[in-house]
Amino acid sequence: MRTIHAPRLLLLLGTSLIVRLGQTLRSEDRERGDVPGWVMITLMSATLVAMILILAEGALRDMFNAAISKVNP
């Protein structure tokens, strides 16, 4: 069985939500205001953060461990 890590799961969920929101915006009335636009920006930002986290996870973990190892008890 394949395990999906939390950042990858967030990326998949964010991507699918963005696609679904895009479909909804194309099919519904355009006079609903700018709320869907802000929702899309928020989802895209969360997806971008998840992608960066996936790419930099090892480096961030090493940096955190190095900083913690320098702290004296």
Side-chain angles (χ1 to χ4, degrees):
M1 179 176 224
R2 187 173 167 202
T3 305
I4 298 178
H5 298 289
R8 288 191 178 112
L9 180 61
L10 181 63
L11 177 64
L12 291 172
L13 289 174
T15 304
S16 64
L17 286 173
I18 289 171
V19 169
R20 178 68 181 124
L21 183 62
Q23 292 169 348
T24 302
L25 288 176
R26 283 191 297 273
S27 65
E28 292 184 7
D29 186 19
R30 297 285 182 188
E31 296 296 323
R32 291 181 36 189
D34 197 32
V35 172
W38 285 107
V39 172
M40 183 172 280
I41 289 171
T42 302
L43 290 174
M44 290 172 64
S45 298
T47 303
L48 182 62
V49 168
M51 288 174 41
I52 291 171
L53 202 80
I54 289 170
L55 295 174
E57 183 179 5
L60 290 171
R61 184 178 294 125
D62 292 342
M63 192 167 53
F64 175 78
N65 289 334
I68 291 297
S69 68
K70 291 181 180 182
V71 176
N72 292 329

